[in-house]
Amino acid sequence: MSRKTPKRLSSEDEALWRKVVEKATPLTKSRPKPTPTATKPHHAPEPKPKFVPQPFTIGERAGSSETKAPAAKHAPAMDRKAFTRMKRGKLKPEARIDLHGMTLAEAHPRLLKFIHSTHADGKRLVLVITGKGRTRPDDEGPIPSRPGVLRRQVPDWLTRPPLTALVLEVTPANLRHGGEGAFYVYLRRSR
């Protein structure tokens, strides 16, 4: 089979076509008037530049060199649709623990026990309430303490052993479930 070549307009037909185009009113005003002889040359899209890791030395802090790699967005380890529903507060937590007012020494073993027991019960989404922390007006010493010790420490505990085998995702809770003072913890399926 051979390809058919497109027919070209004769000079009379082309002149007639131009008269028709000049008298026609466009449906939308944003379209430019077509010119039958003007064609754009076809260009292949430029390939995306490949990521080239920057040289580093062992012991160097991340981001201390002049050129920084762009920060990657957090890709959830769980189903994207469920992750979006969870972030919007549409999923209801199956269990919750409140660590308000506890010290780090009290909160850590209680959190471990809670995560292990809810995972053993087959629950998937739990809410860990840490509170936002408070600022003390009398804490104006030479080394000020940062508020929210539990709020900073709990996500770290959840992403380290022995809980990494049980926890699939940790993300701040929606306002309806505590906002900045709580975390959604999505657990892996129990075997």
Side-chain angles (χ1 to χ4, degrees):
M1 287 188 170
S2 64
R3 288 186 176 180
K4 293 183 181 180
T5 57
K7 293 183 180 179
R8 300 277 177 182
L9 294 176
S10 66
S11 60
E12 295 172 0
D13 290 340
E14 195 172 281
L16 180 63
W17 177 251
R18 284 191 183 131
K19 285 183 183 179
V20 170
V21 168
E22 288 173 3
K23 292 181 181 180
T25 56
L27 294 175
T28 60
K29 302 218 181 222
S30 62
R31 276 192 194 169
K33 291 186 179 182
T35 56
T37 56
T39 59
K40 291 184 178 180
H42 178 69
H43 293 289
E46 294 182 20
K48 293 182 180 179
K50 291 184 178 180
F51 174 74
V52 179
Q54 299 295 322
F56 66 94
T57 57
I58 295 177
E60 181 181 38
R61 288 184 149 289
S64 63
S65 61
E66 288 90 28
T67 59
K68 293 182 182 177
K73 288 186 177 180
H74 171 67
M78 57 189 280
D79 176 37
R80 185 168 296 281
K81 186 176 179 182
F83 180 76
T84 304
R85 289 186 68 219
M86 180 179 70
K87 289 280 289 177
R88 291 182 180 168
K90 302 291 183 185
L91 293 179
K92 185 178 179 185
E94 299 170 272
R96 67 181 63 221
I97 184 172
D98 191 350
L99 304 175
H100 274 112
M102 293 185 192
T103 64
L104 292 175
E106 295 169 340
H108 190 250
R110 209 171 273 181
L111 179 67
L112 288 171
K113 183 179 177 185
F114 172 75
I115 295 295
H116 280 285
S117 66
T118 53
H119 183 263
D121 291 343
K123 296 181 178 165
R124 297 296 306 273
L125 180 63
V126 297
L127 185 68
V128 178
I129 302 168
T130 60
K132 295 180 183 179
R134 61 181 172 196
T135 56
R136 297 181 188 156
D138 59 339
D139 191 20
E140 298 295 327
I143 303 174
S145 63
R146 295 190 305 179
V149 176
L150 282 176
R151 189 175 76 181
R152 286 191 324 272
Q153 196 63 42
V154 165
D156 187 48
W157 289 340
L158 292 166
T159 56
R160 293 183 182 257
L163 296 179
T164 51
L166 306 177
V167 175
L168 187 64
E169 189 74 41
V170 178
T171 186
N174 187 283
L175 280 177
R176 71 177 70 187
H177 293 126
E180 295 175 7
F183 293 94
Y184 292 127
V185 180
Y186 200 77
L187 301 175
R188 298 181 189 277
R189 292 190 191 277
S190 56
R191 296 177 185 177

